[in-house]
Amino acid sequence: MALAAESALAQDMPAYETGVRLAQRRGYDNAECYGRVFAKHAVVVEKPGGRRSWFAASTQAYNAEQQRRCGIDRLGDLRQRRQQPGPVTSQYRGGAYQAGLRIAASRGYSGAVAACFARVFANQASVGPSPLRAGRMTWGAYLTPSITGEMHRQCGISV
């Protein structure tokens, strides 16, 4: 299993900065620490078309250092993201996650808790026509006992 530096060009961005941006996108609390550990383990990989990006292999040493130094459980996070598919198509999955992040922020959650909230929301959400904007879609998830239980079990929050 590997961690790719999503769309970051190695020639334009140092490995540390790439790691910090990855951590921020994923909602990790300690982004600077994640960036330092990522930079220590990252190598430049050339992609088709000549583009280069930073890549840190998901080795036991890398994952253990992220856990020990930064308190970030990469393997647990990756496991949760793999379990997400469910009823919403992958075309819309990123939108549900982003909607979940916005909802989490509006409720005062941030960092890893907000990211966890967004993952659970994305897994449970459904897309449908917006009642406020004609021709637009919106995300929704009812706070059923199963979703509130997942929020509590996975994220440690009560909704």
Side-chain angles (χ1 to χ4, degrees):
M1 170 137 232
L3 169 69
E6 304 156 351
S7 74
L9 297 175
Q11 61 264 31
D12 294 338
M13 191 180 311
Y16 168 76
E17 191 175 330
T18 300
V20 169
R21 287 186 182 192
L22 285 169
Q24 289 170 337
R25 277 188 221 134
R26 293 183 178 142
Y28 297 145
D29 285 328
N30 203 347
E32 293 79 20
C33 182
Y34 184 95
R36 285 191 300 275
V37 174
F38 178 86
K40 180 179 171 183
H41 292 267
V43 296
V44 175
V45 175
E46 189 158 339
K47 295 183 173 190
R51 293 187 56 203
R52 294 188 207 167
S53 64
W54 291 104
F55 173 84
S58 185
T59 63
Q60 188 175 11
Y62 176 60
N63 294 327
E65 191 169 350
Q66 285 291 5
Q67 177 71 43
R68 186 178 67 254
R69 292 185 189 270
C70 308
I72 295 171
D73 179 13
R74 284 191 65 257
L75 294 178
D77 182 45
L78 292 170
R79 240 185 332 272
Q80 284 181 349
R81 280 192 265 148
R82 264 188 264 128
Q83 293 174 353
Q84 277 187 353
V88 180
T89 66
S90 62
Q91 174 188 1
Y92 296 111
R93 179 67 50 204
Y97 181 80
Q98 292 302 318
L101 282 177
R102 285 191 298 276
I103 294 167
S106 74
R107 293 179 178 202
Y109 300 119
S110 63
V113 173
C116 184
F117 181 102
R119 283 190 300 271
V120 173
F121 177 85
N123 194 37
Q124 302 288 330
S126 59
V127 65
S130 172
L132 303 175
R133 297 183 191 160
R136 303 280 282 204
M137 302 300 272
T138 190
W139 289 99
Y142 294 105
L143 295 178
T144 63
S146 73
I147 193 172
T148 56
E150 282 301 301
M151 291 283 184
H152 183 71
R153 188 178 66 74
Q154 289 186 29
C155 311
I157 58 177
S158 297
V159 182

